[in-house]
Amino acid sequence: MNSKLPGNKTTCTNNATQFHLSNPPYESYFYSDCHSSSHVIITSPLSTSNLSIIGPRLLVAWPAGNSGVVSFFSPENGENGTLSIRLANSSATGNALEPLYFQGPPGSRNPQVGISGAISFNSSAVLTLPILGSIRTIRDFTEGPSIIYPDLQDAISFSETGDGGATLNRTWLDNTTTTHLTFTPLNGSDSVIIRGEENTTILFGAGTYQFKASFNYSQLHQLSPENVLNNASAGLFKQNPEQTAALSFLSYTNKLLAGTWRFLTYFGRDSMISLLLLQPILSEGEGGAIEAVIGVVLERINSTDGTACHEEVIGDYTTFLNLQKNITSSAPQCDYKMVDTDYFLPIVMKNYLVDTETGRNRSKEFLNTTATFLANNAGMKYAALAKRTAEKIMKTSTPFTLEGGQIKENLVHLKEGEVVGEWRDSTYGLGGGRIPYDVNTALVPAALRSIASLSRAGLFPDHPEWSETADEFAKIWEDRTLDFFRVRIPQSTAVSLIDSYMNESSFPGPSNTEQITSDIIFHGLALDGDDNQPVVRVMNTDDCFRHFLLNTTNQTQLSEFLSQTTDNILHPFPLGLSSSVGLFVANPAYGGDPIYAKNFTRGDYHGTVIWSWQLSMMAAGLAHQLGRCDSSDVPDFCADETLYRKILSAYNHLWNLIDENRLQLSNEVWSWTYDDGFQVEPLGAFTPTESNVQQLWSLTFLAVHKENFPRLKAEKSNKLLIEKDYQL
């Protein structure tokens, strides 16, 4: 049936999409139709919740403008933990949410759109703090030291309505857009009361109240579930209805969004990693999801130096930041502080424009597109912007390739004054390191290989030499970077380090040190870490980048690298990375300094926690390497029966963990508690930094599946090797 829109006679010809995801204490409700998309989150503390972090809250997030509203509630009686809230389904439709659409008076630039629902309180409650406008403003409050911007808060007006309700309005700093939030009593509930010295709080009685949240910002054009997937993947609609609906919620004709509610806008790294893993199922061609991802990155390149944009700043927040510089403008801005985003661009371009028939046929027209998003790029073609990034990569990678140039100083460093620069972009995510492992050992050579391929396809006509030199550069980066990050812990030392970590971290589980039968080997997160550590000695899952992106040919190095990766996957934490709730993205047990146990915990964004997309890329990476055993150029590890069996065992073990945690896989990140074993716990139970309930790169299991590899490859591989020797 068509979705009817209160407020006028306009209807959508296509069915609305709505679904509910439960992840207590968070309940998420999604609604999308032809006019707008909304994500509503009800937070109601559990009896086990940390009440200093989690409190009753209604949050509405909108993809358009990265916008939203939030209302924080507290019990009127002041007893923290006694107030519970929930959404009540409509008695008329049975739905939790209904759309709002008002065309507005003649001359209105945009209609007023949004969402309506019914919120129930188990006892009288006070709306203590509303924030209206930008998701970034809400993030600054929830994740930082409760930052409130008076210029924004003081602009919220409270007024009573004639039906016992109250409305909150705020006009954005652009003096055009307005956000509304209204509460109206239902089913005989008490009228709301506006109170406070400056009328800045609202009192509710126990009962049910309709809320309406709306705004009049320009909307995005969403890709329907049918349009975001290619024809061959249409069966996923029925097989995975919630995940495909979530993918659609984050997908629009001009960009894919990173996640909701916290990252409901463009993030370059996130969208390109997602594309790398999701490409087999995404729609191709003009107006499709793949070109939306590549195009949005090209649009936002810094045309001066070729740097790719990490995060865009749009909507009310960009006006706010401009005003801090005494600039009156709502023009979008870009964050260019990351060092990894550049390298993903040539990889995704090559995978589509060179490796697919549609991409090859579309390459000329697509690269001839004129950029429009940033004023500084106005009039530039996508081809010119792509070339700027490729030129930057070639220039910055050259010093390491020169004779005698394989020194630490010529590796890729974080930018001066920044503590973040790649996906582990929290304050302590790299342990203070300045030279990240993933960027140098995987992303740089993968980007160089892709530049060579793009050049051979004629897509960089001004640089035909790249077809050879980029491959030559890549070989040096592939073979000569791993050793900088290699950590080898002697067996006896490893036992002592884990024992120390157990005391420093108070980890209640077993140490598993009896399983240490040889030296521990891994590659550290970064170089030049905190407390003058030459290598940040934190075991991690970033091996997945190299396994997934590269076909290295240094056979001894490849075999050793696969061996240490699989050991760390198979070994239980804190010996390795494995737990029943997934692979930890960091294991600080071998750090040798209490600072590691302190900064890499189950409450840290990049600590001893589990990220869905890292499970996905590790699974895809091991599958990629195992798949090389059926290629025309079989690696040596395929003929090593013991090593091959171990890799296959780690691959199967990883998939067992993935299957056991299916309920979490769409989440951005999750944590754990330990009581005679690991149990899943939301990250938000330990820190104000919540996990997004839907994250773009956490939907990649729609495309990444377990593959069946034979138990033995040795016979075939040995035969091939014998034939080669015989021919020689």
Side-chain angles (χ1 to χ4, degrees):
M1 59 184 293
N2 293 342
S3 111
K4 295 183 179 180
L5 304 174
N8 71 357
K9 297 180 180 179
T10 303
T11 59
C12 290
T13 56
N14 295 326
N15 290 340
T17 300
Q18 49 188 319
F19 58 100
H20 168 221
L21 297 175
S22 180
N23 188 28
Y26 311 105
E27 301 293 331
S28 286
Y29 301 82
F30 296 83
Y31 185 97
S32 300
D33 62 25
C34 66
H35 293 294
S36 66
S37 302
S38 300
H39 176 194
V40 177
I41 308 100
I42 292 288
T43 307
S44 191
L46 307 175
S47 59
T48 56
S49 294
N50 181 345
L51 300 179
S52 66
I53 298 174
I54 298 172
R57 180 190 68 181
L58 165 67
L59 193 153
V60 181
W62 294 305
N66 195 20
S67 313
V69 301
V70 66
S71 298
F72 295 94
F73 302 100
S74 65
E76 186 192 16
N77 62 17
E79 295 182 17
N80 207 7
T82 61
L83 176 63
S84 296
I85 62 176
R86 65 180 181 86
L87 280 195
N89 288 341
S90 167
S91 58
T93 66
N95 298 327
L97 299 176
E98 300 292 342
L100 296 175
Y101 181 93
F102 300 91
Q103 187 59 55
S108 297
R109 188 178 67 179
N110 299 307
Q112 195 82 18
V113 298
I115 205 72
S116 173
I119 183 170
S120 292
F121 302 91
N122 71 325
S123 63
S124 55
V126 179
L127 192 165
T128 56
L129 176 70
I131 301 175
L132 283 68
S134 172
I135 289 295
R136 282 293 303 268
T137 307
I138 298 172
R139 275 174 51 196
D140 287 351
F141 177 79
T142 60
E143 298 178 11
S146 299
I147 298 174
I148 285 290
Y149 302 110
D151 289 347
L152 306 183
Q153 288 303 111
D154 293 346
I156 300 176
S157 64
F158 291 67
S159 60
E160 296 179 351
T161 59
D163 49 11
T167 185
L168 292 72
N169 298 317
R170 180 181 159 255
T171 299
W172 290 13
L173 297 173
D174 62 7
N175 293 319
T176 300
T177 308
T178 304
T179 300
H180 300 264
L181 177 61
T182 300
F183 294 96
T184 306
L186 296 175
N187 305 324
S189 299
D190 294 341
S191 296
V192 300
I193 300 172
I194 299 175
R195 68 180 193 181
E197 292 183 4
E198 298 180 358
N199 292 329
T200 56
T201 61
I202 298 177
L203 175 64
F204 299 83
T208 304
Y209 295 80
Q210 183 184 44
F211 72 87
K212 293 181 178 180
S214 63
F215 70 136
N216 60 336
Y217 193 77
S218 178
Q219 297 295 302
L220 302 172
H221 182 70
Q222 186 177 6
L223 290 173
S224 68
E226 293 80 9
N227 291 332
V228 76
L229 300 179
N230 57 38
N231 292 336
S233 303
L236 291 173
F237 303 144
K238 292 184 178 179
Q239 298 169 22
N240 298 282
E242 285 187 354
Q243 287 186 311
T244 51
L247 179 60
S248 173
F249 184 86
L250 296 173
S251 301
Y252 299 84
T253 53
N254 63 348
K255 59 183 171 182
L256 271 62
L257 313 181
T260 186
W261 61 272
R262 295 166 51 248
F263 301 138
L264 204 51
T265 193
Y266 159 90
F267 283 76
R269 175 203 309 124
D270 300 54
S271 57
M272 288 188 284
I273 286 177
S274 301
L275 173 54
L276 287 169
L277 293 164
L278 284 169
Q279 183 168 338
I281 68 170
L282 293 181
S283 54
E284 300 178 339
E286 186 176 8
I290 294 176
E291 292 191 15
V293 171
I294 301 174
V296 72
V297 179
L298 290 169
E299 284 275 359
R300 288 154 178 76
I301 284 173
N302 183 334
S303 57
T304 301
D305 64 3
T307 303
C309 174
H310 163 58
E311 177 186 4
E312 68 181 6
V313 185
I314 57 175
D316 194 46
Y317 203 76
T318 194
T319 317
F320 173 73
L321 293 183
N322 280 324
L323 287 173
Q324 308 313 300
K325 305 172 186 176
N326 293 319
I327 299 172
T328 303
S329 172
S330 296
Q333 303 179 45
C334 272
D335 174 354
Y336 293 107
K337 66 173 172 283
M338 297 296 167
V339 298
D340 64 340
T341 310
D342 303 343
Y343 301 102
F344 289 109
L345 179 58
I347 301 172
V348 297
M349 288 182 62
K350 175 260 182 187
N351 285 0
Y352 178 59
L353 298 176
V354 176
D355 292 349
T356 72
E357 182 179 0
T358 302
R360 290 191 295 272
N361 292 335
R362 284 276 300 152
S363 61
K364 183 176 181 180
E365 182 178 354
F366 176 72
L367 292 175
N368 197 44
T369 304
T370 301
T372 59
F373 183 73
L374 296 177
N376 289 344
N377 294 351
M380 293 190 69
K381 303 293 186 182
Y382 283 3
L385 292 164
K387 185 177 72 170
R388 293 281 172 90
T389 301
E391 287 172 341
K392 177 186 178 183
I393 292 171
M394 292 299 296
K395 179 180 179 180
T396 55
S397 63
T398 296
F400 189 80
T401 67
L402 302 176
E403 184 175 354
Q406 292 81 50
I407 58 177
K408 183 177 73 172
E409 288 72 20
N410 288 334
L411 293 172
V412 177
H413 293 57
L414 301 189
K415 295 184 177 181
E416 195 67 32
E418 299 290 350
V419 298
V420 297
E422 43 82 86
W423 88 268
R424 297 176 185 264
D425 53 357
S426 55
T427 302
Y428 303 110
L430 286 178
R434 306 297 305 164
I435 305 172
Y437 164 57
D438 60 333
V439 175
N440 286 281
T441 65
L443 300 187
V444 173
L448 290 166
R449 292 289 187 194
S450 296
I451 289 171
S453 182
L454 289 163
S455 179
R456 286 191 290 273
L459 300 185
F460 293 127
D462 295 344
H463 293 282
E465 73 280 6
W466 287 352
S467 62
E468 295 183 0
T469 55
D471 268 337
E472 293 168 0
F473 285 11
K475 174 67 173 169
I476 297 171
W477 280 85
E478 286 171 357
D479 293 350
R480 301 295 296 275
T481 51
L482 271 184
D483 286 347
F484 285 95
F485 299 88
R486 194 169 188 265
V487 176
R488 188 183 193 103
I489 309 289
Q491 181 179 348
S492 59
T493 305
V495 173
S496 175
L497 288 172
I498 289 180
D499 287 341
S500 296
Y501 171 76
M502 296 290 287
N503 292 328
E504 293 160 0
S505 67
S506 300
F507 174 59
S511 67
N512 296 304
T513 53
E514 73 281 358
Q515 298 185 38
I516 300 179
T517 58
S518 61
D519 294 351
I520 300 296
I521 301 171
F522 59 91
H523 291 80
L525 280 178
L527 307 182
D528 295 350
D530 286 327
D531 293 350
N532 298 313
Q533 296 279 355
V535 182
V536 178
R537 297 198 311 183
V538 173
M539 187 185 290
N540 61 86
T541 50
D542 284 356
D543 294 0
C544 67
F545 286 103
R546 194 168 166 98
H547 291 311
F548 181 65
L549 294 174
L550 299 179
N551 290 324
T552 57
T553 55
N554 182 325
Q555 298 301 325
T556 300
Q557 185 184 73
L558 173 60
S559 293
E560 290 178 350
F561 187 61
L562 278 163
S563 180
Q564 62 96 39
T565 296
T566 53
D567 280 339
N568 300 335
I569 290 174
L570 289 167
H571 288 157
F573 179 81
L575 171 58
L577 298 170
S578 184
S579 79
S580 60
V581 293
L583 293 184
F584 293 163
V585 298
N587 176 0
Y590 303 103
D593 189 312
I595 195 172
Y596 288 100
K598 178 182 178 182
N599 291 339
F600 291 89
T601 72
R602 63 178 178 170
D604 288 300
Y605 199 43
H606 298 99
T608 51
V609 295
I610 304 91
W611 284 69
S612 177
W613 78 266
Q614 284 265 295
L615 296 177
S616 179
M617 184 174 280
M618 185 67 81
L622 291 181
H624 175 71
Q625 295 301 324
L626 288 167
R628 295 175 68 187
C629 296
D630 277 329
S631 68
S632 58
D633 189 10
V634 180
D636 287 359
F637 76 83
C638 302
D640 183 333
E641 182 177 327
T642 300
L643 177 54
Y644 181 88
R645 282 180 178 271
K646 186 169 72 168
I647 298 168
L648 188 58
S649 178
Y651 180 71
N652 290 332
H653 173 68
L654 174 59
W655 271 104
N656 287 339
L657 298 182
I658 292 168
D659 289 337
E660 290 169 6
N661 291 279
R662 286 283 173 188
L663 294 178
Q664 282 70 246
L665 293 182
S666 294
N667 288 346
E668 176 190 17
V669 53
W670 60 93
S671 188
W672 50 273
T673 56
Y674 193 95
D675 183 10
D676 195 28
F678 290 96
Q679 285 88 38
V680 169
E681 191 75 18
L683 179 66
F686 307 110
T687 171
T689 302
E690 296 171 34
S691 167
N692 286 322
V693 69
Q694 292 293 338
Q695 190 80 356
L696 183 64
W697 59 20
S698 297
L699 297 171
T700 54
F701 284 103
L702 284 167
V704 177
H705 306 286
K706 185 178 182 181
E707 300 181 34
N708 293 318
F709 296 101
R711 291 174 59 84
L712 292 175
K713 294 299 295 185
E715 285 187 19
K716 179 178 179 180
S717 301
N718 278 326
K719 182 180 179 182
L720 287 171
L721 293 173
I722 290 169
E723 288 175 351
K724 289 180 182 179
D725 290 341
Y726 180 76
Q727 290 170 359
L728 291 173

